[in-house]
Amino acid sequence: MDFNETLEQLKNTIEISGGAKQVDLLLKNARIINTFAGDIHEDNVAIHNGKVVGFGDYNAKETIDLQGAYLAPGFIDGHVHIESSMVKVSEFAKAVMPCGTTTAVIDPHEIANVLGLDGISYMLASGLKAKLGVYVMLPSCVPSSPLETSGANLSAHDLALLMNDKRVLGLGEMMNYPGVLNQDRSVMEKLAMAQEKIIDGHAPMLRGKQLYAYVSAGIRSDHECQTVEEAREKLHAGMHIMIREGTAAKNLRGLLPLVNSENSRKFMFCTDDRELDDIAREGHINYSVKTAISLGIPPIRAIQMATINAAEYFNLKDLGVIAPGYQADLVVLKDLKNLDIKKVFKKGELVAENGRILPDKIEDYHGHVRSTINVKWIEHDNFVLKTDKKYARIINITPGQLATRMTVEEVKKDGDFVICDMEKDVLKIAVIERHTASGRVAVGLIRGFGLKKGAIASSISHDSHDIVVIGTNDGDMYTAAVQIVKMQGGMTVTADNQVLEALPLPIGGLMADRSADYVREKLSRLKVSAKLIGSKLENPFMTMGFMSLPPIPEIRITDLGIIDAVKFKVTDLFTDSPAAR
């Protein structure tokens, strides 16, 4: 738009706001939650060309009487990996917009680890069609470590190619805090490139001078706080605190006691990773708002944390407020206790009502990405463990947590072949490199899944998303791995060399090309099938997906082998001594 067009548009806007021309929409009799003033005032809201233009009486093409309902700005998710919902951006939008979420700041870290810049570009293009406001923080750690094989390696130069896109807000969660503190060259280049933008953090339990050094590098937020003490220290260091309530990680109840009238504007809500079942059952950001209110946070303060706080942090200058000149992203609430959402508007257009997206409001994106399941021919022998040693390092999961524990134990053997020991719940776990067809398959031992027969497998395994398989015998593990390849990514349960259930995820091996309802139904059936073969975990696929993430102690497995996640190095599976570590 050139200068003269801008001038004419400004003149027209002033005339419309001043009441000289008809507006598109008038919302009458609203109790407006003013996140600027921190109060509620009763008035009408005039909307034109997707923006709020004024309060009071206006001549309007359409009028909706809200009959005293509350009107809040649209909710903002400050940090989310949409890929973790296992659906495309358009289907994610259909799931969260009826919950009042009108904007999501995404970190496409998962698909970037598989497809690099092509994956990020795919998410950006998808966001243009989804109605939901989608903004991107560029993934800062691809791959997350040198102890795994990912599908891409993104340098500062690579990321700079996208940094000027108007929907790119900055650099996503800097998980490699040791790289910051040790001034790793590649990390420094990314931080230097993003100094004029926003840089998000990811630094669990980082304290004291190490925290100060981390923040001094320009990193301004953290979503990994687990305790009030940790969050308070990071708040004192100048960080904005994202209170996360996802599926695997839930920090809302633990951190809310820190929020008060003096500091609340430095807090915002995020989900990070939240599954479709949880969204359908509990909600999205609205769940965090509702829970915060139930725990004693004043309603206006809780709504500020879901709106203006995130908008100001991310420099989204036309969001987070109901006021003239701001985008008409609006949520109609029946009350401020149950937070019953009646209507949702995006840029002044009604898109959801009574918990459902309205028909034909969200356009699907039909772009494609290349195949990402590139493996060397899989053989039964890939899952064999043979050794003359008596002891092995075993991965022990911790229910409800991402951390694992390492034990060294005598293994069950048939001659020189190690076999699963269901009585002690020691099963095989394999990671198959799926990006370069290298043929690398690492096999280890794991406790905590409880399978009595069969196997489970997935192409979702953080962060590099190689194929991971856990099973009771080599044959079912082979069947499960082959099924993942056949589907070009997904999840499956097998038993007696048969596929019991499967969910195809052909988009990067991470997302389905089907509806959210289809994915929810398939996930439910996968969990039931896993229980039928003995799984004692509520969600064995999610737990399995984190067993290959090297940055989380104490022991992991990647395609490169068994990872000592304390010493951060590859270690041997087998040992001669039960005292080995």
Side-chain angles (χ1 to χ4, degrees), residues 208-429:
K209 289 184 173 62
Q210 288 188 327
L211 172 63
Y212 309 149
Y214 184 75
V215 174
S216 295
I219 300 164
R220 292 291 178 259
S221 70
D222 191 82
H223 62 272
E224 289 290 337
C225 297
Q226 297 184 35
T227 66
V228 163
E229 292 73 23
E230 180 184 357
R232 181 183 288 115
E233 184 172 355
K234 288 176 176 175
L235 198 64
H236 286 168
M239 300 187 92
H240 294 250
I241 306 300
M242 295 184 182
I243 299 181
R244 172 178 56 190
E245 190 70 6
T247 292
K250 301 177 184 291
N251 308 118
L252 183 65
R253 294 176 184 273
L255 297 181
L256 278 177
L258 181 58
V259 179
N260 57 44
S261 59
E262 284 75 29
N263 65 22
S264 65
R265 294 298 299 277
K266 300 302 180 186
F267 290 85
M268 69 193 89
F269 294 125
C270 76
T271 59
D272 201 0
D273 301 289
R274 192 162 175 84
E275 288 193 341
L276 289 172
D277 273 351
D278 288 340
I279 295 170
R281 185 178 63 255
E282 297 177 335
H284 195 238
I285 296 298
N286 61 318
Y287 175 76
S288 294
V289 177
K290 177 182 176 179
T291 304
I293 292 170
S294 73
L295 294 174
I297 301 295
I300 295 175
R301 189 176 301 163
I303 289 171
Q304 286 174 325
M305 293 165 65
T307 58
I308 189 173
N309 293 7
E312 290 185 342
Y313 170 73
F314 286 109
N315 293 324
L316 299 172
K317 295 180 180 179
D318 60 348
L319 298 181
V321 184
I322 302 174
Y326 285 80
Q327 192 164 290
D329 291 2
L330 307 168
V331 181
V332 179
L333 305 169
K334 182 179 179 181
D335 59 64
L336 296 182
K337 180 181 179 182
N338 296 317
L339 221 70
D340 187 13
I341 296 174
K342 309 305 293 182
K343 301 178 188 291
V344 180
F345 294 86
K346 179 65 181 179
K347 294 184 179 179
E349 179 184 3
L350 182 64
V351 294
E353 197 165 18
N354 297 320
R356 292 189 176 276
I357 201 77
L358 296 180
D360 303 321
K361 290 298 181 182
I362 295 177
E363 184 180 350
D364 196 8
Y365 175 65
H366 297 291
H368 297 282
V369 295
R370 64 169 173 80
S371 168
T372 62
I373 304 296
N374 305 305
V375 300
K376 190 176 179 180
W377 192 267
I378 299 172
E379 305 282 359
H380 280 84
D381 287 351
N382 289 138
F383 306 98
V384 170
L385 284 176
K386 186 177 181 181
T387 183
D388 59 357
K389 296 181 179 180
K390 292 179 60 176
Y391 303 97
R393 294 175 172 87
I394 295 174
I395 303 167
N396 293 262
I397 70 165
T398 306
Q401 298 183 34
L402 299 183
T404 58
R405 183 172 57 89
M406 182 176 74
T407 57
V408 179
E409 302 176 31
E410 185 172 349
V411 294
K412 187 175 182 179
K413 297 173 72 175
D414 180 1
D416 284 341
F417 295 93
V418 176
I419 58 176
C420 297
D421 188 345
M422 270 76 83
E423 287 187 6
K424 294 183 179 179
D425 190 19
V426 177
L427 309 177
K428 285 185 179 181
I429 179 171

Side-chain angles (χ1 to χ4, degrees), residues 350-531:
L350 182 64
V351 294
E353 197 165 18
N354 297 320
R356 292 189 176 276
I357 201 77
L358 296 180
D360 303 321
K361 290 298 181 182
I362 295 177
E363 184 180 350
D364 196 8
Y365 175 65
H366 297 291
H368 297 282
V369 295
R370 64 169 173 80
S371 168
T372 62
I373 304 296
N374 305 305
V375 300
K376 190 176 179 180
W377 192 267
I378 299 172
E379 305 282 359
H380 280 84
D381 287 351
N382 289 138
F383 306 98
V384 170
L385 284 176
K386 186 177 181 181
T387 183
D388 59 357
K389 296 181 179 180
K390 292 179 60 176
Y391 303 97
R393 294 175 172 87
I394 295 174
I395 303 167
N396 293 262
I397 70 165
T398 306
Q401 298 183 34
L402 299 183
T404 58
R405 183 172 57 89
M406 182 176 74
T407 57
V408 179
E409 302 176 31
E410 185 172 349
V411 294
K412 187 175 182 179
K413 297 173 72 175
D414 180 1
D416 284 341
F417 295 93
V418 176
I419 58 176
C420 297
D421 188 345
M422 270 76 83
E423 287 187 6
K424 294 183 179 179
D425 190 19
V426 177
L427 309 177
K428 285 185 179 181
I429 179 171
V431 176
I432 304 167
E433 191 277 315
R434 62 109 159 175
H435 302 292
T436 66
S438 66
R440 278 192 300 277
V441 180
V443 184
L445 298 168
I446 191 165
R447 172 184 285 119
F449 280 79
L451 302 185
K452 300 302 181 184
K453 61 185 296 188
I456 60 175
S458 175
S459 56
I460 298 176
S461 60
H462 302 279
D463 274 336
S464 290
H465 300 292
D466 288 315
I467 297 171
V468 60
V469 189
I470 292 176
T472 60
N473 64 85
D474 298 351
D476 283 319
M477 293 178 75
Y478 168 82
T479 301
V482 169
Q483 179 63 24
I484 298 297
V485 177
K486 287 180 178 179
M487 296 188 298
Q488 282 298 292
M491 298 175 170
T492 191
V493 178
T494 63
D496 301 321
N497 298 320
Q498 299 293 319
V499 175
L500 302 184
E501 191 55 74
L503 166 62
L505 299 173
I507 303 174
L510 302 171
M511 295 179 285
D513 56 0
R514 304 282 294 275
S515 71
D517 288 340
Y518 171 85
V519 172
R520 273 196 298 267
E521 173 65 20
K522 279 289 189 178
L523 277 174
S524 176
R525 290 164 62 174
L526 279 164
K527 291 175 186 177
V528 169
S529 296
K531 286 187 183 298

Side-chain angles (χ1 to χ4, degrees), residues 134-166:
V134 176
Y135 295 91
V136 169
M137 297 292 283
L138 296 176
S140 63
C141 300
V142 177
S144 69
S145 83
L147 298 175
E148 56 191 322
T149 303
S150 69
N153 192 325
L154 295 181
S155 66
H157 174 75
D158 296 324
L159 296 174
L161 298 174
L162 294 175
M163 192 60 88
N164 289 329
D165 189 300
K166 64 181 180 181

